[in-house]
Amino acid sequence: MKASILFLLLILGLSSFAQDNYDVDLIPSSLRNRANATIRNKETVVDMRSPENVMYTVKQAITVLNKNGDESARLVLFYDKNTSIKSIKGEIYNEVGKSVGKFSQGDFKDESAVQGFSLFEDSRVKHYLPSVNTYPYTIVYNYEIRFKQNLIIPDWIPKPSYNVSVEKSTYTFICKPTDQFRLKTQNLQSKAEENITKDQKILTWKVNNLLAVKSEPFSPNEETYQTSVKIAPEQFSYFNYKGSYTNWQELGRWAYDNLLKGKDKLPEATIQLVKELVKNEKTDKDKARKIYQYLQEKTRYISVQVGIGGFQPVTAAEVDRLGYGDCKGLVNYMQSLLRAANIESYYCVVEAGSQKISLDPTYASMNQGNHIILCLPLKGDTIWLECTSQKIPFGFLGDFTDDRNVLACTAEGGKLLRTPKLLTQTNLQVRNAELTLDKDGNVSGTVKTTFSGAQYDNHEEFIGKPLSEQQKLLKEAYDIDNINFEQIKYAQKKEIEPVITENLNINIRNYATINNTRLFMLPNAFNVKAAVPETKGRTLPIYINRGYRDEDTIVYNLPDNIIPIIIPIEKSLNNDFGSYTIKTLIEGNKLICVRKFTLNDGTFPAESYTAFTQFINEVSSSDRLKLVLNLKK
């Protein structure tokens, strides 16, 4: 009898979803405002039947309101040895809610998820985008995925992107009443509905009527404010490895014991080579520098996403033999080389990228982190190493991993550490130009620029490129009509605080405009700040990810037919966001332009956005001011 009732309820539930009316006129006008697409209904169910059997079921109906919303209709599903797609089906409806087509798993493209730089990767991807060119339309997806693990439970983020509104979305997590897990919820207006029976614990979260919002410039990372639910079971299974954790210390110990231990063995010949390599070095720092140089010369980076779901490095002996590895393998190899010289180091998990994203100190999970770096806790002088680059200086991480929490996996357990911050005052670009302006308005001369800190990172790609490629990159960087680079030279100071020096010989045809007895020219030739859009109703804080400072001094040697009298440009600004000065003056037959601009990193209140745009746009306007020079008749 119970089975019959359950079957009837299931049929009714499926029918109600299938019979929803997808007439676009039923979407409230408030949800259409600013929206390219509207999620009409999404039901996500995670049924953790056992650590080795987690069913992930999604039913989603999304209305695409215009062409800009097409990507919201795309379904992309990854799978591998630990993840299988059990079923996919769906239907497409027109503007009035009439079915115009159906699709199934056979209509999806199935491709390797191997990246262009990946040698091995287990993952594959199925993806589908309907071929519809009449708007609006609605697409309904039903799919079921089985995970043979519960170490990584997908996060629930009901509003996936900007310009998308949500009419209704629910997330249900099912487990046994005795299962223990940790929750991290954010920006939810109500708590989960909880239902516990003899066999199951069911938690359901619901959201309704989430309005579409447009992207706001200089916003914090979405993860810091978007509505979300994250779940991490305490007892887990992953690729037949079992474990438990409730915090970063326990997760780091599991990673060390199960992913790293025993992977550090090197051939005896390599151990002796390391000892010979460092025998004349006096300090551990100097020994580490020598070994790092050996690593960079011997190895190269190739992505190898295999081994316990891509989390486990290949052995140090394998990297030693092949001469290549991914971030995990190269860090493990470097750690093994250092161990041969009796130097301690930590294998560290980090969320890498130019946007600073820290591991959450309040919520440990395997979902966080996408890269591995190495930490050397030397006495009074901690050194950090990026092991995937053959060019990066010893001890310099750059903006890919600076200023964020990372997890050090050690025999004693996990430790949250902080990588060094690239400071505003050291993210420097200092430019000095000596130019000659001729009587026809052409400019030629030399430009010397030094880059340090994050600005070193921005220009490191220029080093070692063929001349034709450098020419192309420089024309993009300088963005001046008719500029030509007659000579290009780079020098590097490859230290923990590295510097690039760029020396250029340039000419710019028709840089100044001549009109009868007047010559018009932009004295700030190389560093014009872009304006930022003004917006009303700002809701998010202003976030400046990384500060920097630019200093430019340009000297123009003027032709004899110039009357050395000008109305000078002079501007000075100073506030919480930064500072700016620009000044022009005449000294003899020289026109001198001095510009200094500092942008401070930090988070500022949303209501200060007007003041921020005024500051940046005033800088931009001042950078574009032209001088008028009188010509002798």
Side-chain angles (χ1 to χ4, degrees), residues 273-459:
L273 185 151
V274 169
K275 291 180 177 179
E276 182 67 21
L277 191 68
V278 302
K279 68 179 182 180
N280 296 323
E281 304 300 330
K282 304 299 182 186
T283 68
D284 282 351
K285 184 176 179 180
D286 289 336
K287 291 176 183 178
R289 182 184 284 107
K290 200 86 171 183
I291 295 170
Y292 186 65
Q293 182 181 354
Y294 172 78
L295 172 86
Q296 289 183 307
E297 291 173 352
K298 178 179 174 61
T299 65
R300 68 189 190 278
Y301 171 76
I302 294 179
S303 180
V304 187
Q305 302 297 330
V306 295
I308 311 185
F311 288 126
Q312 188 176 59
V314 298
T315 65
E318 188 77 353
V319 175
D320 187 69
R321 182 177 68 85
L322 296 173
Y324 61 74
D326 61 8
C327 61
K328 304 180 297 296
L330 293 173
V331 167
N332 179 62
Y333 181 54
M334 181 64 187
Q335 189 173 38
S336 304
L337 294 173
L338 291 169
R339 189 172 289 121
N342 297 314
I343 299 174
E344 183 183 19
S345 61
Y346 300 149
Y347 179 101
C348 295
V349 182
V350 59
E351 184 70 28
S354 60
Q355 184 88 348
K356 300 174 189 175
I357 301 176
S358 279
L359 303 190
D360 186 345
T362 67
Y363 177 77
S365 74
M366 208 70 171
N367 299 47
Q368 302 175 63
N370 62 3
H371 187 53
I372 307 296
I373 56 178
L374 195 64
C375 175
L376 283 62
L378 305 179
K379 291 181 181 178
D381 190 14
T382 299
I383 300 294
W384 294 85
L385 298 178
E386 171 57 64
C387 296
T388 62
S389 170
Q390 294 171 301
K391 298 193 293 185
I392 195 169
F394 172 80
F396 180 68
L397 286 181
D399 62 10
F400 195 53
T401 53
D402 81 309
D403 192 27
R404 62 202 80 188
N405 295 333
V406 304
L407 175 66
C409 302
T410 77
E412 294 75 36
K415 304 176 183 180
L416 282 183
L417 306 176
R418 188 86 180 178
T419 57
K421 179 179 180 178
L422 295 172
L423 301 173
T424 298
Q425 58 267 33
T426 57
N427 294 334
L428 272 173
Q429 174 183 288
V430 180
R431 176 176 287 123
N432 289 277
E434 183 79 25
L435 305 177
T436 297
L437 174 69
D438 69 23
K439 62 180 182 179
D440 297 318
N442 304 311
V443 164
S444 61
T446 61
V447 183
K448 178 182 178 181
T449 312
T450 60
F451 307 97
S452 58
Q455 305 231 45
Y456 173 96
D457 251 6
N458 297 339
H459 292 81

Side-chain angles (χ1 to χ4, degrees), residues 177-189:
T178 55
D179 287 339
Q180 299 296 311
F181 54 88
R182 289 172 299 111
L183 280 174
K184 175 88 175 185
T185 62
Q186 181 174 266
N187 200 23
L188 284 165
Q189 295 182 349

Side-chain angles (χ1 to χ4, degrees), residues 158-297:
K159 190 160 72 167
S161 61
Y162 295 108
N163 305 112
V164 174
S165 59
V166 180
E167 196 168 350
K168 181 170 66 173
S169 184
T170 63
Y171 177 57
T172 301
F173 180 70
I174 304 170
C175 64
K176 295 176 182 177
T178 55
D179 287 339
Q180 299 296 311
F181 54 88
R182 289 172 299 111
L183 280 174
K184 175 88 175 185
T185 62
Q186 181 174 266
N187 200 23
L188 284 165
Q189 295 182 349
S190 58
K191 294 183 178 180
E193 297 174 4
E194 186 173 315
N195 183 20
I196 301 176
T197 67
K198 180 169 66 72
D199 300 317
Q200 289 183 326
K201 177 189 286 187
I202 304 172
L203 296 174
T204 302
W205 290 267
K206 298 179 180 179
V207 296
N208 298 285
N209 299 320
L210 301 181
L211 305 181
V213 295
K214 291 192 176 296
S215 173
E216 295 180 340
F218 295 93
S219 293
N221 184 272
E222 293 176 51
E223 290 187 8
T224 63
Y225 60 84
Q226 65 189 0
T227 300
S228 63
V229 174
K230 301 178 180 182
I231 295 177
E234 290 186 11
Q235 303 288 330
F236 68 84
S237 174
Y238 193 76
F239 277 79
N240 297 320
Y241 283 72
K242 298 186 184 300
S244 65
Y245 73 101
T246 60
N247 52 46
W248 286 116
Q249 182 184 15
E250 293 171 356
L251 182 57
R253 183 183 296 115
W254 178 83
Y256 181 86
D257 289 342
N258 294 277
L259 304 180
L260 305 179
K261 188 183 289 185
K263 297 286 182 178
D264 60 342
K265 292 181 175 56
L266 289 169
E268 184 59 32
T270 301
I271 294 173
Q272 293 306 316
L273 185 151
V274 169
K275 291 180 177 179
E276 182 67 21
L277 191 68
V278 302
K279 68 179 182 180
N280 296 323
E281 304 300 330
K282 304 299 182 186
T283 68
D284 282 351
K285 184 176 179 180
D286 289 336
K287 291 176 183 178
R289 182 184 284 107
K290 200 86 171 183
I291 295 170
Y292 186 65
Q293 182 181 354
Y294 172 78
L295 172 86
Q296 289 183 307
E297 291 173 352

